[in-house]
Amino acid sequence: MPIINRIADFHEEIRTWRRDIHAHPETAFEEDRTSEIVAAKLGEWGIEVHRGLAKTGVVGVLRGNGDGGRAIGLRADMDALDIHELNDFSHRSRNEGKMHACGHDGHTAMLLGAAKYLAETRNFDGTVCFIFQPAEENEGGGRVMVEEGLFQRFPVEAVFGLHNMPGLPLGEIAMRSGPAMAAFDIFEITVTGKGTHAAMPHHGTDPVAVAAEIVGALQTISSRRVDPLDPVVVSVTQIHAGDTWNVIPQEAVLRGTARSFSKETRDQVESDIERIVDGITAAHGASAKMTYERRYPALVNTGEETELAARVAAQVVSEDKVTPEWPPLMGSEDFAYMLEAKPGCYIWLGNGAEGEAGGCMVHNPHYDFNDEAAVIGASYWAKLVETALPRSA
Ligand SMILES: [Zn+2]
Ligand SMILES: [Zn+2]
């Protein structure tokens, strides 16, 4: 595999960084130790270090050989999840209840590996910004960095991201041009009825029966309201009502998430949920209050940058190991905020086929980033910089 030999030389080192970060997971905006390590290493290699964006974010700026004014950004996320790790290997989490179950430990270590190589070789003409962001999982650290002026302070022409992908065999890379990951919204619906004795329901208004009808009816948004070729998911993930057997409660609370791709469909899903909730509660003489919060936008890769990413990936893993038209995912990613601001591409890096090492799905308590993928990811980053910012012959 034509990975970069110099990067393969420090595979062991990348693995050590990765396992150390894995053993010390930190969640949203509390990535103090991780960002300290990142900043120290970048500084050690002579890379200009900027800290404090989105609290624990770190940006490293490296200029190549040549006087070109062009610049690109490479982004890694650093945060872990609130999961109790069930692995028992020696690098398992030492922060009880927190776990690197999405491989952001690997993303951070791979980008560090590429930074070390690029600082040593500087075989590119222009500037590369290494963007280490906090809080990808829920709190939108990427959005906060953009809002705090990431691209004003570091004016790159394009920005690139990657995520490991269990299920995709080791040594494979996938991507797609256009919408690749869904927009992510959350909602909370409080149905208010009238509490009464469970044996005399006619004296009250049962919010549980109303809530149950809402759960079923919400499924008609994707099956009856939206074009079947336009993917939408509405999932009710929590139902809370009542405390005992013989009381019809006063209230029922539903919570869930909606996923969609286009802006129009996203608007439609929100208004459809609202209409269904209002209609069903009115039909039963109950009332409802809904809050609907838009979290991450859809992640949209731009054509030219996706074509570049596919070309570079083919150099690293060979063309037959690259899937340039991978189907879109209903999952979400806050790198979408950076892609709203700049052209760019986000790729998926094979972490291992199902049933093999690295095949365990992300967010599972048994997941672990596959260290064998690190050299491939770091080589991809390095070749991307050398290809996007070529030195003139
Ligand atoms: Zn995740
Ligand atoms: Zn992730």
Side-chain angles (χ1 to χ4, degrees):
M1 192 179 296
I3 49 167
I4 295 177
N5 286 334
R6 184 69 191 116
I7 288 180
D9 286 347
F10 37 82
H11 190 185
E12 202 45 55
E13 207 175 351
I14 299 175
R15 186 203 318 264
T16 306
W17 304 336
R18 202 286 290 180
R19 293 189 173 183
D20 173 62
I21 297 169
H22 187 96
H24 301 91
E26 298 170 305
T27 47
F29 300 115
E30 293 172 357
E31 303 89 344
D32 298 309
R33 181 183 185 276
T34 312
S35 69
E36 193 63 48
I37 290 171
V38 167
K41 292 207 182 303
L42 295 176
E44 198 182 300
W45 304 325
I47 296 171
E48 189 182 302
V49 178
H50 300 261
R51 303 189 66 179
L53 263 182
K55 259 176 133 171
T56 49
V58 182
V59 179
V61 177
L62 178 70
R63 287 173 192 87
N65 285 316
D67 45 18
R70 297 179 56 210
I72 63 167
L74 312 180
R75 169 275 203 175
D77 38 16
M78 301 186 290
D79 59 317
L81 285 152
D82 291 303
I83 293 179
H84 173 80
E85 178 158 11
L86 294 181
N87 292 313
D88 51 15
F89 42 58
S90 60
H91 61 281
R92 78 178 296 279
S93 170
R94 285 166 209 174
N95 296 348
E96 196 46 57
K98 309 221 183 250
M99 176 186 175
H100 268 295
C102 205
H104 300 181
D105 48 346
H107 303 165
T108 300
M110 279 188 284
L111 190 54
L112 283 174
K116 181 173 179 179
Y117 164 83
L118 289 164
E120 193 175 287
T121 52
R122 300 194 193 226
N123 188 24
F124 60 97
D125 185 359
T127 302
V128 54
C129 297
F130 304 101
I131 304 165
F132 292 87
Q133 75 146 84
E136 189 286 321
E137 289 291 355
N138 281 300
E139 309 305 328
R143 172 181 52 77
V144 178
M145 281 187 109
V146 171
E147 285 172 1
E148 290 185 4
L150 174 67
F151 295 127
Q152 282 74 42
R153 286 180 61 185
F154 309 99
V156 296
E157 63 190 56
V159 67
F160 297 86
L162 72 71
H163 205 292
N164 76 95
M165 176 59 75
L168 187 64
L170 181 70
E172 294 196 20
I173 294 177
M175 69 282 290
R176 73 176 284 107
S177 185
M181 294 184 83
F184 156 41
D185 300 335
I186 57 169
F187 56 82
E188 178 179 292
I189 299 158
T190 305
V191 178
T192 304
K194 185 179 169 203
T196 182
H197 196 295
M200 291 173 268
H202 56 295
H203 289 304
T205 303
D206 182 0
V208 176
V210 177
E213 230 173 276
I214 289 172
V215 174
L218 289 181
Q219 296 316 311
T220 62
I221 295 174
S222 60
S223 67
R224 304 290 89 172
R225 296 280 309 161
V226 175
D227 184 336
L229 297 177
D230 184 3
V232 161
V233 175
V234 179
S235 290
V236 175
T237 55
Q238 299 180 41
I239 303 180
H240 300 280
D243 298 299
T244 188
W245 289 271
N246 59 350
V247 175
I248 287 173
Q250 186 83 4
E251 256 183 25
V253 176
L254 305 175
R255 296 194 186 97
T257 180
R259 309 289 168 120
S260 56
F261 280 95
S262 72
K263 203 189 153 309
E264 298 69 35
T265 306
R266 194 179 197 187
D267 292 342
Q268 187 193 331
V269 169
E270 178 176 353
S271 68
D272 279 352
I273 294 177
E274 208 164 66
R275 207 188 48 257
I276 286 170
V277 168
D278 287 348
I280 290 177
T281 50
H284 293 284
S287 64
K289 264 204 330 243
M290 177 169 98
T291 55
Y292 190 95
E293 191 186 316
R294 294 187 180 209
R295 292 267 170 122
Y296 301 172
L299 181 144
V300 184
N301 290 324
T302 49
E304 208 178 303
E305 286 68 27
T306 307
E307 193 273 325
L308 169 71
R311 199 150 36 89
V312 170
Q315 285 179 45
V316 178
V317 296
S318 83
E319 200 160 344
D320 59 322
K321 301 284 186 196
V322 177
T323 309
E325 286 301 328
W326 191 258
L329 297 178
M330 297 311 289
S332 305
E333 217 332 314
D334 87 340
F335 185 61
Y337 287 106
M338 296 191 190
L339 287 179
E340 276 191 332
K342 295 285 171 184
C345 179
Y346 174 88
I347 64 156
W348 294 296
L349 174 71
N351 201 54
E354 214 182 317
E356 292 176 11
C360 176
M361 194 32 75
V362 291
H363 294 205
N364 181 289
H366 292 287
Y367 168 85
D368 193 29
F369 176 79
N370 189 344
D371 287 305
E372 298 307 310
V375 173
I376 301 168
S379 295
Y380 165 78
W381 279 139
K383 273 199 201 294
L384 182 70
V385 172
E386 290 171 354
T387 311
L389 304 172
R391 291 179 69 185
S392 43

